[in-house]
Amino acid sequence: MSNATCYPQCLGSAASLVANTELIKTNLCQPLRQICDGTTVGTIFFAGALPEVNGIFTVTNSSSACTITIEVTDANGAAVAYTIPPQSSVAVAVDTLTNVTYTCTGPDPTAFCTGSFEA
């Protein structure tokens, strides 16, 4: 008996894609907390060695005074910035996501913004 008949093929392998293509849903929720100085950059998401990442994510700003600015970068290096006012959120649809970073700006540069990243 060969190994090919003993073990099932991994989802995503070339042979499995022919017959059984299946999307695997991954939920990610990450709290955000950053100083509101407008210069400190935090990384929310980095694809690294992951294969192509596509989907929708939401960033919520639960701060009362700080504004969150996110920068979304795709595999082509194109970056798009989104500004999220206090007590609001933004949903972003992405293809080939590689990186999401953020900064916070507010009237008190020693205060912290808070929120969440959900994908």
Side-chain angles (χ1 to χ4, degrees):
M1 191 182 268
S2 73
N3 284 344
T5 57
C6 291
Y7 301 102
Q9 295 175 349
C10 294
L11 181 63
S13 68
S16 72
L17 292 176
V18 173
N20 300 323
T21 300
E22 181 179 343
L23 211 58
I24 298 176
K25 184 178 178 183
T26 302
N27 291 323
L28 173 67
C29 183
Q30 176 179 333
L32 304 176
R33 185 175 189 269
Q34 184 76 281
I35 194 157
C36 292
D37 64 3
T39 59
T40 303
V41 178
T43 299
I44 297 175
F45 176 83
F46 178 69
L50 292 174
E52 189 174 293
V53 176
N54 303 312
I56 298 172
F57 69 85
T58 302
V59 175
T60 301
N61 182 353
S62 56
S63 304
S64 59
C66 289
T67 297
I68 297 176
T69 301
I70 62 170
E71 186 171 283
V72 179
T73 307
D74 67 15
N76 296 321
V80 178
Y82 298 87
T83 301
I84 309 164
Q87 301 294 309
S88 60
S89 62
V90 65
V92 179
V94 292
D95 288 324
T96 62
L97 177 66
T98 59
N99 195 31
V100 180
T101 59
Y102 73 112
T103 57
C104 297
T105 308
D108 179 0
T110 63
F112 285 85
C113 69
T114 56
S116 63
F117 169 81
E118 297 178 59

